[in-house]
Amino acid sequence: MTNVEETLEEGGDPRSLETRTVVAGTGLGTAVGWAIIVLAILAVLAALAVARVFVVPVIMAFLLALVFSPLCRWFRRRGVPEPVAALAIVLGLLAGLAATSFSLALPVSGWLEDAPGIAREAERKLRVLAGYAEAVSEAGRQIEEAAASGEGTEAAPVEVVIAEQGPLTTVALGAPLIVAQTVFVLILTFFILASGSLFYERLVRVMPTLTEKKRALQIAYDIERDVSRYLLSITVINAGLGLAVGLAMALLGMPSPLAFGLLAFALNFVPFLGAIGGVAISFAVALVTLPTAFDAFVVAAVYFALTSVEGQVVTPWLVGRRLRLNTVVILIAVAFWAWLWSVMGMIMAVPLLVCLRVLCQHVEPLRPFGEFLAGREDR
């Protein structure tokens, strides 16, 4: 006997059985749909992790193209062909990158080469500062006496030396890949800029209705405007921070103040973690090169004060309310993309968040998520 017949014999309504069947089927279909979505997200993340050598330069090139597309159009309105403007922009990027690399190469290589000595010297000064030097020496003497008392009964230990790969060797091995990716980014950026509005034209053409064409074009232009405004603002702010840090390091007697200024400029593109890394590097170098540990703490405090003023006052004022993001979301995004794509992921985390927020503002089902991404001042 079927379920419908049983329902009819019991005096029930067959439509209620059909409703229950549809509801059960809908629940099962929803669960299967969510499972498929989760599996698709995991598959995309795995693909992004495996193909990061290719994907990261491509995304970086598109972000650079978003930043410089308004400038390229400005040149075009003044009669400069887009390929010429694109070539000038790419050559300017290459010149700036080369100048920064050459300025940082000598001091950074020296720091990497002397890293073990720097660590030992830093440990020695910190022990003196903390007053633990005598206790450590006494413990060392006791260990030596205990070892000497057992020399007659045990065989002499065999010294094992493990040759480790030094930091400079690691950098040298990774340099060809970094250079190749950089060249690829610059070449791809040139072709994107030289193509002009080709991508926008193709985007409009593939949309089926006039309303969707207008919406797609508005989203593209809003992403371009907000990302370019954000990255240009952050670049100007970081340049000012680098100048301030370089001058402060020179006044405090630090070696290679220009290198510290360039490091501050580069590291500050990574929210939160870049400032922490700059404070740690300045403290470590100062601890070795300056006379006392107190001087090193002063250097680190000055660096921290400058980055705090930049992060709490200058950046909120210049970036504006429209581009502010939830601080917790930024930290999570930086950690996530660092786990997925290492250093380049940390640099691209906030621009990708800006793109996502603009998209959420134009797509009705995603607007609550866009509100979650917004900073406190935007609400």
Side-chain angles (χ1 to χ4, degrees), residues 38-245:
V38 171
L39 290 176
I41 292 174
L42 293 176
V44 170
L45 292 178
L48 290 176
V50 172
R52 66 177 182 176
V53 175
F54 171 75
V55 175
V56 170
V58 171
I59 296 179
M60 178 60 70
F62 273 96
L63 289 177
L64 289 176
L66 288 175
V67 172
F68 293 105
S69 288
L71 180 61
C72 204
R73 284 197 295 269
W74 183 85
F75 278 116
R76 184 184 61 188
R77 288 194 295 267
R78 280 150 183 80
V80 180
E82 289 170 335
V84 176
L87 181 62
I89 291 171
V90 170
L91 289 178
L93 288 174
L94 180 61
L97 184 61
T100 303
S101 300
F102 284 129
S103 300
L104 287 174
L106 185 60
V108 171
S109 62
W111 297 341
L112 291 175
E113 187 68 27
D114 298 337
I118 291 175
R120 287 192 296 269
E121 183 67 16
E123 183 181 4
R124 185 187 67 81
K125 286 190 176 181
L126 288 176
R127 283 178 177 176
V128 172
L129 180 67
Y132 293 138
E134 183 61 32
V136 172
S137 299
E138 180 64 25
R141 285 196 295 269
Q142 293 178 0
I143 293 174
E144 290 178 358
E145 291 173 0
S149 63
E151 284 181 356
T153 58
E154 296 182 2
V158 178
E159 183 178 0
V160 178
V161 178
I162 302 176
E164 296 183 354
Q165 182 173 287
L168 284 181
T169 305
T170 304
V171 173
L173 291 175
L177 178 60
I178 296 174
V179 172
Q181 289 182 322
T182 303
V183 172
F184 177 68
V185 168
L186 294 176
I187 292 175
L188 184 57
T189 303
F190 166 76
F191 280 104
I192 295 174
L193 292 175
S195 65
S197 59
L198 177 63
F199 281 95
Y200 298 123
E201 294 173 1
R202 294 294 179 265
L203 182 64
V204 170
R205 181 168 297 181
V206 298
M207 291 293 117
T209 64
L210 180 61
T211 302
E212 292 181 355
K213 292 177 188 293
K214 291 181 179 179
R215 177 183 295 180
L217 199 58
Q218 187 64 43
I219 292 174
Y221 278 124
D222 284 353
I223 289 177
E224 178 188 287
R225 183 191 65 246
D226 287 359
V227 171
S228 62
R229 185 179 299 173
Y230 171 79
L231 287 178
L232 287 175
S233 300
I234 291 299
T235 300
V236 172
I237 292 170
N238 291 352
L241 176 66
L243 179 62
V245 169

Side-chain angles (χ1 to χ4, degrees), residues 339-378:
W339 167 73
L340 193 66
W341 288 342
S342 187
V343 177
M344 294 304 300
M346 291 189 288
I347 295 174
M348 294 188 293
V350 177
L352 291 176
L353 271 182
V354 173
C355 295
L356 180 59
R357 185 185 169 194
V358 173
L359 181 64
C360 292
Q361 288 174 343
H362 287 277
V363 180
E364 187 64 33
L366 296 178
R367 283 189 179 178
F369 185 64
E371 288 295 322
F372 179 75
L373 296 178
R376 185 183 299 275
E377 293 81 1
D378 294 292

